[in-house]
Amino acid sequence: MRVLVVEDERLLADTIAEGLRRFSMAVDVCYDGEQALDRVGVHGYDVVVLDRDLPVVHGDEVCAAVLKTGGEARVLMLTAAADVNDRVAGLGLGADDYLTKPFAFAELVARVQALSRRARPALPPVLERGGVVLDLPRHQASRDGRFLPLSPKEFAVLEVLMRAEGAVVSAEDLLEKAWDEHADPFTNAVRVAMMTLRRKLGEPPLIETVPGAGYRFGS
């Protein structure tokens, strides 16, 4: 899952981003609306966590820009205003959900996860394939009943592969979906993550390398 956090309170923005990364989400951060407009025009996000009261370019304009991209991104709007009319106005702009500050981080994570499921063809919150069970809400993985101690990045890579349902996933797609914008496309990050993921999954091997194309999760 790839998430964009747009929040002018830098400490809050960075705290949200770090927290979401612990749930294996690839997170980019912007501190004003102008930066956000640049990002949504380049990357395909699943969820945009958007503060409404942004400097430079207002959050309402950013929300409208997200909708104009025609992509699958869902918008979770944040605001310090708890007034019902303000929430209604935000939803009327096209936001998919609304959360007032201060909020419980667990609720934010649950809402982002729920929106991500709506951002793509409906899939269950628990993925099962080849004896592997990936429980997204609990952030747990197992194979044939054996717990898999995956790092957040390994969990994210496995989720992308399992969601592909047997289709080949290129290294470029993995970088786009499981890493943030700071990932260097010329590094061996994908290869290293795949190596450690394969080791933890154990035998028989489940991830096939398709030469010149990418990787495929088999059954």
Side-chain angles (χ1 to χ4, degrees), residues 5-22 27-32 35 49 51 54 78 101 103 105 108:
V5 175
V6 191
E7 167 63 61
D8 65 313
E9 295 181 39
R10 289 177 176 255
L11 179 58
L12 177 59
D14 294 342
T15 300
I16 291 173
E18 285 305 311
L20 293 178
R21 288 176 185 133
R22 289 198 293 269
V27 186
D28 298 335
V29 181
C30 296
Y31 305 114
D32 64 57
Q35 293 177 354
V49 179
D51 181 32
L54 290 171
L78 305 178
K101 304 175 185 176
F103 50 81
F105 184 73
L108 173 70

Side-chain angles (χ1 to χ4, degrees), residues 31-192:
Y31 305 114
D32 64 57
E34 186 174 45
Q35 293 177 354
L37 291 179
D38 291 339
R39 297 298 198 287
V40 298
V42 174
H43 300 293
Y45 293 103
D46 297 298
V47 179
V48 178
V49 179
L50 177 65
D51 181 32
R52 189 175 185 190
D53 299 313
L54 290 171
V56 188
V57 176
H58 197 272
D60 292 356
E61 293 184 47
V62 176
C63 184
V66 172
L67 296 177
K68 286 180 181 178
T69 63
E72 298 176 335
R74 297 290 185 257
V75 176
L76 172 59
M77 192 168 277
L78 305 178
T79 183
D83 182 76
V84 172
N85 291 330
D86 192 74
R87 295 200 299 271
V88 170
L91 294 171
L93 291 166
D96 298 276
D97 200 358
Y98 215 89
L99 193 59
T100 56
K101 304 175 185 176
F103 50 81
F105 184 73
E107 182 179 5
L108 173 70
V109 171
R111 287 175 182 261
V112 169
Q113 290 175 330
L115 287 177
S116 75
R117 291 194 290 271
R118 292 163 52 187
R120 55 175 67 91
L123 285 173
V126 177
L127 305 179
E128 298 185 44
R129 189 177 180 87
V132 174
V133 177
L134 203 63
D135 189 325
L136 303 178
R138 292 182 176 84
H139 201 255
Q140 295 177 349
S142 63
R143 180 178 186 182
D144 298 328
R146 173 176 60 88
F147 174 73
L148 300 174
L150 303 183
S151 71
K153 195 60 64 186
E154 292 160 358
F155 191 97
V157 169
L158 183 57
E159 179 184 353
V160 173
L161 292 173
M162 291 182 70
R163 284 190 183 278
E165 298 185 319
V168 175
V169 181
S170 69
E172 292 78 13
D173 283 342
L174 283 169
L175 278 171
E176 173 70 21
K177 297 176 184 298
W179 275 262
D180 60 30
E181 64 185 349
H182 300 295
D184 184 347
F186 300 104
T187 67
N188 61 353
V190 172
R191 185 177 63 83
V192 171

